Amino acid sequence: MRKVLVIGAGKSTAVLIKYFQDKAESENLQIIIGDISIENAQKLANNHPFSEAILLDVFDKNSRENAIQNADIVVSMLPARFHIEVAKDCLKYEKNMVTASYVSEEMQELDSEVRKKGLVFMNEIGLDPGIDHMSAMQVIDRIRNQGGKIILFESFTGGLVAPESDTNLWNYKFTWNPRNVVIAGQGGSAEFLQEGTYKYIPYHKLFRRTEFLEVEGYGRFEAYANRNSLKYQSIYGLEDILTLYRGTIRRVGFSRAWNIFVQLGMTADDYTIENSEHMSYRDFMNSFLPYSPSDSVELKLRHYLKIDQDDIMWDKLLELDLFNPHKKVSISNATPAQILQKILMDKWTLDDGDKDMIVMYHKFGYELNGKRQQIDATMVSIGEDQTYTAMARTVGLPVAMAALRILNKEYTHSGVQIPIKKEIYDPILKELEDFGITFNEIERDYLGYNPDGVKG
Amino acid sequence: MRKVLVIGAGKSTAVLIKYFQDKAESENLQIIIGDISIENAQKLANNHPFSEAILLDVFDKNSRENAIQNADIVVSMLPARFHIEVAKDCLKYEKNMVTASYVSEEMQELDSEVRKKGLVFMNEIGLDPGIDHMSAMQVIDRIRNQGGKIILFESFTGGLVAPESDTNLWNYKFTWNPRNVVIAGQGGSAEFLQEGTYKYIPYHKLFRRTEFLEVEGYGRFEAYANRNSLKYQSIYGLEDILTLYRGTIRRVGFSRAWNIFVQLGMTADDYTIENSEHMSYRDFMNSFLPYSPSDSVELKLRHYLKIDQDDIMWDKLLELDLFNPHKKVSISNATPAQILQKILMDKWTLDDGDKDMIVMYHKFGYELNGKRQQIDATMVSIGEDQTYTAMARTVGLPVAMAALRILNKEYTHSGVQIPIKKEIYDPILKELEDFGITFNEIERDYLGYNPDGVKG
């Protein structure tokens, strides 16, 4: 039996574990699930004959080292900041390792030692980062092999609610960490390239600079810019590219309404509100509006942010009960972002039976034989239920597939790396098709960054 | 001869030095001016018989200790972060010390030792902080002595250009550190109290939440909120106050136009712009606007920020030459704020003969004998020229006056402190009147925070 150690039994691991369990007999696998909560680990082990749940506190050196020493490959599904302890042990005991997280500086620093020992530390092989890297590089390499030159790359991903569960005015529910949604886009300006010009969007304008995306069969979406588009220039070898943009997908109208929270200051996370515990939702709203001896919170808000009387945004605010003078915040020393998160969780939590949806959209512009062309590639994945979600599927499957290939020595390129090599992305993208994760490619006229198709 | 050591011969010290020089004979003073530039120090010494210029690098322990050991009192006019080295030596050699800067945590930590040795470390005794503390506490203590209870305190200060030198559309020129003007308001939300309710304004809304102020003989001004109003609650003993607000004064219309820079992201100081050196002013503007194959920078900006064709703000932008495709930024690896500062300095630098102006405005609301009343107090000071500026006068004179009083043992209350005691503010405010620095008090109906006088 080959031992696969999975550390961290969080939301995203259900599909990953099931993949290993389904292959356990044919691939001769023993799956060891380690978590700080033995109950979580046992739930995922699910009495499966080849699965074992163990208590694993990643900060307890002994239990961590024992588990790693015992394993044939290590999959770390911990929050990103905890990988490094696992990685150091994997180096010490010469184990290969797979994570779905961005390569941290500390992780990158291990590269030369990892190479020396001929180990594979594969990272960024979940959804985003992960499937985005693989699906993009497959098309980019194909165009290059044909002799084409990439001049535009735009890439968008969103974790949304499935159409059949889309029951609120925001067309949004929390299908992942709510906190990350509330503070999304903070911490600096978004930077990207449009037709050879560097562009910068400050946080407070991020949700007013969206663009539309159409996905056949699913209608229209919108996307706002991610902060870090430019780093993909060197990773993908796109030094001469004219347009490079990455963004986050929402349903149309979300960003315009979300911008109300940003403008008010409700997403701020760097100070706490006085007396937050005893404040009502209405008080919370009012703390961002000027005092008036006469005017209502409602009118002050409409005036301040120039919201017309018949604007649909207003109904979105009402749906969240933001003007309710009776509902209490009930969190002491809370930041605005923490309070807003609580208010949103009242309404945006998935109901039993709700399904999630992942949408990914790539645009590739290129020059081939003197002609400018464009390929758009889209992928939509819908969850089964609240355990086997689209998020858990698209994050977990590529991790599991990569781990099995590395265990089987089908992929042996050593070093701290991300999945941008053909030898890893081709077989995994192929296998993902068996799970319904497929990209639909459309050839289009190249318009450059010109979403409205305007002639100059 | 008693030796007054003045460390730092910057812009704000000219009036301070002249005050000591004018008193040198009658008060038996030797003025030692220490600066890292001997030329700066000599310029201020100005061959005055009782003045001496010395080279003093505050990071050179020997020269610093020698100078301090030799002095009878030390005035530090260094940038705030450098005071602490001076303060530690003053403690060691048992010298009293005066600064115009906010009390840092490190400085505050010296308090018990300073008290033990019976020393006076007087801080925050320039303009703002300084004259604001003294003039406010004088009125607050007077009202309290009459049995009144303070329910509102609003305080505003601005460093502006004098009416006779006010020659641009922004009604503003740099009379102080331009960088502080460009990044003003950054680093967190503004917090204050209005009629018993805590209010918060995020940076990107700061310049749209101004209020008007009228100063007799000088017309209308506007003010935007400072970040730190609430800390004055405990300092001034205003625990039960309903309204507490501090702000910065500009001429009307400045903030609305400045908001364009904030909205675009031009005041950001946390990242550098690619290729900034070779970029034109127009390119700089364009980097905050979406790419378009057809539309001009001008139209994109008007559309993005909804600036009407006949809006006066537009002329303010034209005056700064912001759309000029030929003027180069010429600073490498510059942040947006550094580039904006350069563009503004082209136009907002004082001309020879230009004068500056300081405006201070306090509002005191109080209950006395069951009646609510209000006192407004205003002070305007206009500079003589570009050496004896209103800023140098209002910062330097109270520092000098305090130093002389402490030297003469007229003020002996020990500790690390700020000028909120009657024993210091009464004589200094009285003496400031001789230099034209006077407050004009007006009794008004109390309206609470209700600038438009609306009946509820």
Side-chain angles (χ1 to χ4, degrees):
Chain A
M1 297 291 275
R2 285 128 16 113
K3 288 184 180 154
V4 179
L5 172 63
V6 179
I7 308 179
K11 260 185 138 178
S12 59
T13 40
V15 178
L16 180 151
I17 301 284
K18 186 160 186 308
Y19 176 90
F20 286 131
Q21 289 173 338
D22 290 347
K23 301 258 180 187
E25 274 202 72
S26 63
E27 293 282 349
N28 203 22
L29 303 177
Q30 168 83 2
I31 305 123
I32 298 140
I33 305 161
D35 196 89
I36 194 160
S37 150
I38 187 77
E39 290 78 19
N40 278 355
Q42 279 165 342
K43 205 171 138 198
L44 284 168
N46 195 22
N47 296 318
H48 184 274
F50 301 103
S51 301
E52 182 190 345
I54 62 169
L55 186 72
L56 201 164
D57 174 358
V58 76
F59 295 112
D60 174 20
K61 191 167 178 289
N62 268 345
S63 77
R64 190 185 68 224
E65 287 200 349
N66 278 341
I68 290 170
Q69 210 172 345
N70 247 318
D72 292 295
I73 189 159
V74 177
V75 173
S76 178
M77 296 302 282
L78 296 163
R81 62 189 181 283
F82 301 144
H83 292 319
I84 191 67
E85 298 304 324
V86 175
K88 284 175 180 167
D89 288 345
C90 285
L91 197 57
K92 185 171 171 186
Y93 298 108
E94 308 202 354
K95 308 292 178 184
N96 293 319
M97 175 180 182
V98 182
T99 86
S101 304
Y102 285 105
V103 175
S104 64
E105 272 182 47
E106 289 168 301
M107 182 70 87
Q108 188 57 49
E109 280 166 11
L110 303 181
D111 182 51
S112 66
E113 280 188 84
V114 170
R115 277 171 202 267
K116 246 181 251 164
K117 295 194 169 176
L119 296 172
V120 184
F121 279 20
M122 178 62 73
N123 302 277
E124 303 190 20
I125 192 157
L127 168 65
D128 173 9
I131 294 178
D132 59 344
H133 286 321
M134 295 191 285
S135 53
M137 284 308 297
Q138 191 176 53
V139 176
I140 290 171
D141 284 343
R142 194 176 75 213
I143 292 168
R144 281 175 177 156
N145 287 339
Q146 293 165 350
K149 186 185 152 195
I150 308 291
I151 52 177
L152 173 146
F153 175 60
E154 296 186 56
S155 177
F156 310 88
T157 307
L160 299 162
V161 65
E164 56 263 51
S165 307
D166 187 347
T167 54
N168 68 37
L169 290 174
W170 293 76
N171 308 116
Y172 189 79
K173 294 180 184 175
F174 290 125
T175 62
W176 201 240
N177 187 342
R179 178 169 164 78
N180 290 351
V181 175
V182 173
I183 62 172
Q186 293 186 21
S189 297
E191 305 187 16
F192 50 88
L193 263 171
Q194 279 177 338
E195 295 295 326
T197 310
Y198 289 96
K199 297 291 184 184
Y200 307 91
I201 307 180
Y203 173 64
H204 61 266
K205 277 289 177 189
L206 201 55
F207 298 93
R208 301 310 294 128
R209 290 274 291 270
T210 52
E211 43 186 278
F212 291 143
L213 298 167
E214 294 275 345
V215 180
E216 215 191 307
Y218 294 90
R220 209 175 215 197
F221 298 87
E222 66 186 15
Y224 62 83
N226 293 353
R227 281 181 51 213
N228 56 356
S229 295
L230 298 182
K231 76 173 189 180
Y232 291 82
Q233 199 162 11
S234 58
I235 294 172
Y236 291 1
L238 302 171
E239 278 73 11
D240 298 324
I241 204 159
L242 295 176
T243 297
L244 183 58
Y245 185 102
R246 287 174 48 93
T248 297
I249 296 176
R250 295 285 180 261
R251 279 290 183 185
V252 174
F254 178 92
S255 301
R256 199 169 86 91
W258 185 264
N259 184 54
I260 293 177
F261 302 145
V262 174
Q263 292 309 309
L264 287 170
M266 281 186 175
T267 61
D269 199 42
D270 57 353
Y271 70 95
T272 57
I273 295 268
E274 299 278 340
N275 308 324
S276 60
E277 189 167 4
H278 303 292
M279 159 180 263
S280 69
Y281 288 12
R282 188 180 185 83
D283 294 334
F284 177 58
M285 176 64 90
N286 195 28
S287 67
F288 301 104
L289 298 170
Y291 170 81
S292 159
S294 54
D295 303 322
S296 65
V297 171
E298 285 84 350
L299 189 61
K300 290 191 293 185
L301 176 63
R302 282 190 183 276
H303 170 69
Y304 186 39
L305 298 186
K306 301 190 171 62
I307 305 171
D308 282 332
Q309 156 272 340
D310 55 357
D311 194 316
I312 179 69
M313 287 200 296
W314 196 258
D315 300 294
K316 295 183 186 177
L317 301 181
L318 292 179
E319 189 182 73
L320 294 173
D321 231 359
L322 272 161
F323 302 103
N324 191 321
H326 306 298
K327 272 198 188 170
K328 296 290 181 193
V329 166
S330 303
I331 318 173
S332 55
N333 300 315
T335 67
Q338 287 165 343
I339 298 171
L340 179 60
Q341 180 182 332
K342 196 226 164 175
I343 293 171
L344 297 175
M345 285 176 78
D346 289 353
K347 301 288 178 176
W348 291 0
T349 299
L350 292 169
D351 285 326
D352 292 345
D354 271 353
K355 296 175 183 176
D356 72 329
M357 171 170 72
I358 298 294
V359 180
M360 190 173 284
Y361 196 119
H362 299 306
K363 300 183 188 183
F364 306 92
Y366 59 103
E367 270 178 12
L368 182 61
N369 305 324
K371 206 181 144 225
R372 292 188 161 196
Q373 300 172 60
Q374 184 171 323
I375 292 170
D376 283 13
T378 58
M379 182 272 284
V380 177
S381 181
I382 293 185
E384 286 173 43
D385 54 35
Q386 285 190 45
T387 303
Y388 299 98
T389 62
M391 186 68 90
R393 180 196 298 146
T394 52
V395 173
L397 284 178
V399 169
M401 291 170 185
L404 188 56
R405 273 183 174 73
I406 293 165
L407 184 64
N408 288 342
K409 307 245 182 295
E410 291 166 40
Y411 184 82
T412 54
H413 183 86
S414 68
V416 172
Q417 62 196 287
I418 67 172
I420 53 175
K421 286 189 189 302
K422 193 176 173 59
E423 297 89 324
I424 190 86
Y425 67 65
D426 260 352
I428 290 184
L429 288 172
K430 185 86 198 92
E431 190 179 353
L432 284 172
E433 289 179 8
D434 301 340
F435 294 82
I437 300 171
T438 56
F439 280 82
N440 180 29
E441 285 190 20
I442 308 164
E443 304 236 348
R444 300 182 54 174
D445 289 343
Y446 176 78
L447 290 170
Y449 179 77
N450 186 354
D452 301 328
V454 175
K455 307 294 175 195
Chain B
M1 299 288 274
R2 288 136 7 119
K3 288 182 179 156
V4 179
L5 172 63
V6 179
I7 308 179
K11 260 184 142 181
S12 60
T13 41
V15 177
L16 178 151
I17 301 284
K18 188 161 185 307
Y19 176 89
F20 286 131
Q21 288 174 340
D22 290 347
K23 301 257 180 188
E25 273 203 72
S26 62
E27 293 281 352
N28 203 22
L29 303 177
Q30 169 82 1
I31 305 119
I32 298 141
I33 306 160
D35 197 271
I36 194 161
S37 149
I38 185 77
E39 290 78 19
N40 278 357
Q42 280 165 341
K43 207 172 138 196
L44 285 168
N46 196 21
N47 296 318
H48 184 273
F50 300 102
S51 301
E52 184 190 342
I54 62 168
L55 187 72
L56 202 166
D57 174 357
V58 76
F59 295 112
D60 174 21
K61 191 168 177 291
N62 268 344
S63 77
R64 190 185 68 225
E65 288 201 349
N66 278 340
I68 289 169
Q69 210 172 344
N70 247 317
D72 293 295
I73 189 159
V74 178
V75 173
S76 178
M77 297 300 283
L78 295 165
R81 63 190 181 283
F82 301 144
H83 292 319
I84 191 67
E85 298 303 325
V86 174
K88 285 176 179 167
D89 288 345
C90 285
L91 196 58
K92 183 171 173 187
Y93 297 109
E94 307 203 356
K95 309 294 177 180
N96 294 319
M97 177 180 179
V98 183
T99 85
S101 304
Y102 285 104
V103 175
S104 64
E105 272 181 46
E106 289 168 302
M107 181 71 85
Q108 188 58 50
E109 280 166 12
L110 302 180
D111 182 51
S112 66
E113 281 189 82
V114 169
R115 278 170 201 267
K116 246 181 252 165
K117 296 195 169 175
L119 297 173
V120 184
F121 280 20
M122 178 63 73
N123 303 277
E124 304 190 19
I125 191 157
L127 167 65
D128 171 11
I131 293 177
D132 59 344
H133 286 321
M134 297 192 283
S135 54
M137 284 309 296
Q138 192 175 52
V139 176
I140 290 171
D141 283 344
R142 195 176 75 214
I143 292 169
R144 282 176 178 155
N145 287 337
Q146 292 166 353
K149 185 185 154 198
I150 308 291
I151 51 176
L152 172 146
F153 175 59
E154 297 186 55
S155 177
F156 309 89
T157 307
L160 300 162
V161 65
E164 56 263 51
S165 307
D166 186 347
T167 55
N168 68 37
L169 290 174
W170 293 75
N171 307 116
Y172 189 79
K173 294 179 186 177
F174 289 124
T175 63
W176 200 241
N177 186 342
R179 177 169 165 79
N180 290 352
V181 175
V182 173
I183 62 172
Q186 294 185 20
S189 298
E191 304 187 17
F192 50 90
L193 264 171
Q194 280 177 337
E195 296 294 326
T197 310
Y198 290 96
K199 298 290 184 182
Y200 307 91
I201 308 180
Y203 172 66
H204 61 266
K205 277 289 178 190
L206 201 56
F207 298 94
R208 302 309 296 127
R209 291 274 291 270
T210 52
E211 44 186 276
F212 291 141
L213 299 167
E214 295 275 345
V215 181
E216 214 192 307
Y218 295 91
R220 208 175 215 197
F221 298 88
E222 66 184 16
Y224 62 83
N226 293 354
R227 281 181 50 212
N228 55 354
S229 295
L230 298 181
K231 76 173 189 180
Y232 291 81
Q233 199 163 9
S234 57
I235 293 173
Y236 291 0
L238 302 171
E239 278 72 12
D240 298 324
I241 204 159
L242 295 175
T243 298
L244 182 58
Y245 185 102
R246 288 174 46 92
T248 297
I249 296 175
R250 295 285 180 259
R251 280 290 183 184
V252 174
F254 177 92
S255 300
R256 200 169 85 91
W258 185 265
N259 183 54
I260 294 177
F261 302 144
V262 174
Q263 292 310 310
L264 287 170
M266 282 185 176
T267 61
D269 199 42
D270 57 353
Y271 70 94
T272 57
I273 294 268
E274 299 277 339
N275 307 323
S276 61
E277 189 167 4
H278 303 293
M279 162 180 261
S280 69
Y281 288 11
R282 188 179 185 86
D283 293 335
F284 177 58
M285 176 64 90
N286 195 28
S287 67
F288 300 103
L289 298 170
Y291 170 82
S292 160
S294 54
D295 303 320
S296 65
V297 171
E298 285 84 352
L299 190 62
K300 290 191 296 186
L301 176 63
R302 282 190 183 275
H303 170 69
Y304 185 39
L305 298 186
K306 300 190 173 60
I307 305 173
D308 281 332
Q309 155 271 340
D310 55 357
D311 193 317
I312 178 70
M313 287 201 297
W314 196 258
D315 300 294
K316 294 183 186 178
L317 299 181
L318 292 178
E319 190 184 72
L320 293 173
D321 231 359
L322 273 162
F323 302 104
N324 191 321
H326 305 299
K327 272 197 188 171
K328 296 290 181 194
V329 166
S330 304
I331 318 173
S332 54
N333 299 316
T335 67
Q338 287 166 342
I339 297 172
L340 179 60
Q341 181 181 331
K342 197 229 164 172
I343 292 171
L344 297 175
M345 286 177 77
D346 289 353
K347 302 287 178 177
W348 291 359
T349 299
L350 293 169
D351 287 325
D352 293 343
D354 271 354
K355 294 174 183 175
D356 73 328
M357 172 170 72
I358 297 295
V359 180
M360 190 174 283
Y361 197 118
H362 297 307
K363 301 183 187 183
F364 307 91
Y366 59 103
E367 270 179 12
L368 181 61
N369 305 323
K371 207 183 141 220
R372 293 190 160 194
Q373 299 171 61
Q374 185 170 322
I375 291 170
D376 284 12
T378 58
M379 183 273 284
V380 177
S381 181
I382 292 183
E384 287 173 42
D385 54 33
Q386 286 190 43
T387 303
Y388 299 98
T389 62
M391 186 68 89
R393 181 195 299 144
T394 52
V395 172
L397 284 177
V399 169
M401 290 170 184
L404 189 55
R405 274 180 172 73
I406 293 165
L407 184 64
N408 288 342
K409 309 243 182 296
E410 292 166 39
Y411 183 83
T412 54
H413 183 84
S414 68
V416 172
Q417 62 196 287
I418 66 171
I420 53 175
K421 285 189 189 302
K422 192 176 172 63
E423 298 88 325
I424 189 86
Y425 69 62
D426 260 352
I428 289 183
L429 288 171
K430 186 86 196 92
E431 191 179 351
L432 284 172
E433 290 178 7
D434 301 339
F435 294 83
I437 300 171
T438 56
F439 280 82
N440 180 32
E441 285 189 20
I442 307 164
E443 305 234 350
R444 300 180 53 172
D445 288 345
Y446 176 78
L447 291 170
Y449 178 78
N450 187 352
D452 302 328
V454 176
K455 307 292 175 198

